[in-house]
């Protein structure tokens, strides 16, 4: 097996673990869902502050304020996407939320056609239809709710998150500049953190923010997620450096399936704690597995295209 392929396979399983941690935190370790992204915002701003020194070392006359402004907008949109995803995770199974969220690459293709005048092949169109069908199957809960599908609120939250991430990707393409990498990186982290720090205006967040950090499980899971994300980004960029970026992105699309595998494993190993993380009954679980696989294949084909 090629090294780039091995790295590319490891990354989605690492990010899937972060998704599981996110769900565990909002389910068990915070009373106020928005406290979690608020804490993430604090870390992001600390990171942005350390990056500011790197930017200033280039000299103010070399600062590209257009790039920094665009990067902050990109980061802010991503922050909005994270907030809405966390809200959805509080209400629904993580495997369903992440699967539906992976319509984001499909949205990127549509936005690229409209705003960047890019073309789409017939194969990509077929893959988009495939992914959409898979998402529809995943959202079907098999009668667990009165409508038979995930609640409209959850679907709306996930789609807003996916759309926000897609918009951020389009903005990245517009403002990315090899000569201004650190400025872009600084702006994106600053914008990402600022959006989540705004959550301090929530009375519930303010009330819990002063005591939440005293919870060792919360801090431990939080730090674990940050470490995994950091390592996964290093591996991801290494995979891109060693192999084709389109294939690396296509392999990354297995993340929703990895989340489903983790959820099933946790439910089997610790039923008292995680039985609610998967759909009960083979007749309901099998369609979810099939829908996830269909969506993964569709997104993978789009990524290659």
């Amino acid at each position: 097996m090629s090294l780039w392929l091995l790295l590319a396979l490891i990354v989605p399983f690492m990010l899937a673990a972060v998704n599981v941690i996110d769900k565990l935190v909002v389910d068990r370790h915070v009373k106020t869902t928005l406290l979690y992204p608020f804490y993430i915002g604090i870390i992001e701003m600390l990171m942005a502050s350390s990056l500011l020194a790197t930017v200033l070392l280039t000299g103010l006359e070399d600062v590209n304020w257009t790039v920094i402004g665009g990067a902050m907008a990109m980061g802010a949109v991503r922050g909005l996407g994270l907030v809405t995803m966390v809200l959805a995770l509080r209400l629904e199974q993580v495997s369903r939320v992440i699967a539906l969220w992976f319509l984001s690459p499909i949205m990127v293709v549509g936005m690229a056609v409209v705003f960047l005048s890019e073309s789409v092949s017939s194969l990509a169109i077929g893959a988009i239809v495939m992914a959409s069908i898979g998402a529809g199957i995943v959202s079907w809960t098999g009668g667990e709710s009165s409508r038979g599908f995930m609640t409209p609120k959850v679907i709306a939250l996930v789609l807003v998150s996916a759309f926000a991430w897609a918009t951020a990707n389009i903005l990245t393409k517009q403002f990315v500049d090899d000569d201004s990498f650190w400025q872009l990186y600084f702006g994106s982290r600053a914008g990402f953190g600022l959006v989540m720090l705004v959550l301090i205006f929530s009375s519930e967040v303010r009330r819990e923010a002063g005591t939440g950090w005293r919870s060792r499980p919360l801090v431990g899971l939080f730090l674990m997620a940050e470490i995994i994300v950091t390592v996964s980004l290093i591996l991801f960029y290494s995979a891109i450096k060693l192999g084709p970026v389109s294939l690396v992105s296509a392999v990354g699309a297995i993340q929703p399936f990895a989340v489903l595998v983790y959820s099933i494993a946790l439910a089997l190993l610790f039923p008292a704690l995680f039985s609610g993380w998967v759909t009960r009954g083979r007749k309901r679980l099998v369609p979810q597995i099939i829908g996830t696989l269909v969506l993964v294949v569709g997104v993978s084909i789009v990524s290659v295209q």
Side-chain angles (χ1 to χ4, degrees):
M1 180 184 293
S2 300
L3 179 58
W4 73 264
L5 179 56
L6 176 62
L7 295 176
L9 284 170
I10 292 173
V11 170
F13 278 92
M14 292 183 71
L15 293 178
V18 174
N19 295 145
V20 170
I21 291 173
D22 291 342
K23 173 64 173 175
L24 186 58
V25 168
V26 299
D27 255 7
R28 312 279 169 81
H29 297 288
V30 292
K31 296 178 182 178
T32 303
T33 306
L34 295 179
L35 179 67
Y36 186 43
F38 173 70
Y39 279 163
I40 293 175
I42 293 175
I43 296 298
E44 289 296 316
M45 291 308 298
L46 291 175
M47 287 291 296
S49 298
S50 64
L51 288 168
L52 181 59
T54 304
V55 172
L56 293 178
L57 283 175
T58 63
L60 287 176
E61 67 277 4
D62 295 323
V63 173
N64 189 328
W65 296 108
T66 301
V67 169
I68 290 180
M72 290 188 69
M74 174 188 71
V77 173
R78 287 190 194 278
L80 175 63
L82 178 64
V83 170
T84 50
M85 179 193 286
V86 168
L87 290 172
L89 285 174
R90 186 66 176 254
L91 301 172
E92 185 55 76
Q93 295 175 3
V94 60
S95 56
R96 294 189 190 278
V97 169
I98 299 304
L100 201 60
W101 183 88
F102 257 78
L103 287 176
S104 176
I106 305 299
M107 295 179 181
V108 170
V109 172
M111 295 171 73
V113 171
V114 174
F115 297 109
L116 303 179
S117 300
E118 295 185 3
S119 58
V120 182
S121 66
S122 299
L123 179 59
I125 294 174
I128 290 173
V129 173
M130 178 186 296
S132 301
I133 292 173
I137 297 173
V138 168
S139 66
W140 181 70
T141 60
E144 288 185 348
S145 66
S146 59
R147 298 179 178 84
F149 288 86
M150 292 162 56
T151 63
K153 180 179 180 179
V154 173
I155 293 175
L157 286 170
V158 178
L159 292 182
V160 167
S161 178
F163 182 77
W165 220 260
T167 302
N169 287 340
I170 294 296
L171 288 173
T172 301
K173 191 175 182 67
Q174 291 290 83
F175 290 101
V176 67
D177 183 351
D178 290 338
D179 295 330
S180 305
F181 171 77
W182 288 110
Q183 297 177 43
L184 180 78
Y185 193 46
F186 158 72
S188 64
R189 299 299 289 258
F192 191 72
L194 281 172
V195 164
M196 287 178 282
L197 288 187
V198 171
L199 297 174
I200 194 62
F201 290 105
S202 166
S203 59
E204 293 180 342
V205 170
R206 287 198 305 273
R207 186 165 52 249
E208 195 177 346
T211 57
W213 61 272
R214 297 176 185 173
S215 169
R216 290 186 178 181
L218 173 59
V219 173
L221 289 170
F222 179 77
L223 293 177
M224 186 185 300
E226 289 295 316
I227 292 171
I228 293 174
V229 167
T230 301
V231 174
S232 66
L233 285 176
I234 294 172
L235 296 181
F236 177 72
Y237 289 127
S238 298
I240 288 178
K241 186 176 181 180
L242 296 172
V245 62
S246 59
L247 294 182
V248 172
S249 299
V251 172
I254 68 173
Q255 185 176 334
F257 184 70
V259 173
L260 182 57
V261 170
Y262 286 154
S263 297
I264 293 174
L266 287 171
L268 291 175
L269 293 172
F270 310 102
L273 297 174
F274 299 103
S275 61
W277 281 33
V278 294
T279 304
R280 297 179 182 178
R282 182 177 300 177
K283 291 183 178 180
R284 294 174 179 174
L285 182 58
V286 170
Q288 183 180 351
I289 295 174
I290 293 174
T292 301
L293 289 173
V294 170
L295 188 148
V296 164
V297 172
V299 173
S300 296
I301 293 174
V302 170
S303 299
V304 173
Q305 291 294 299

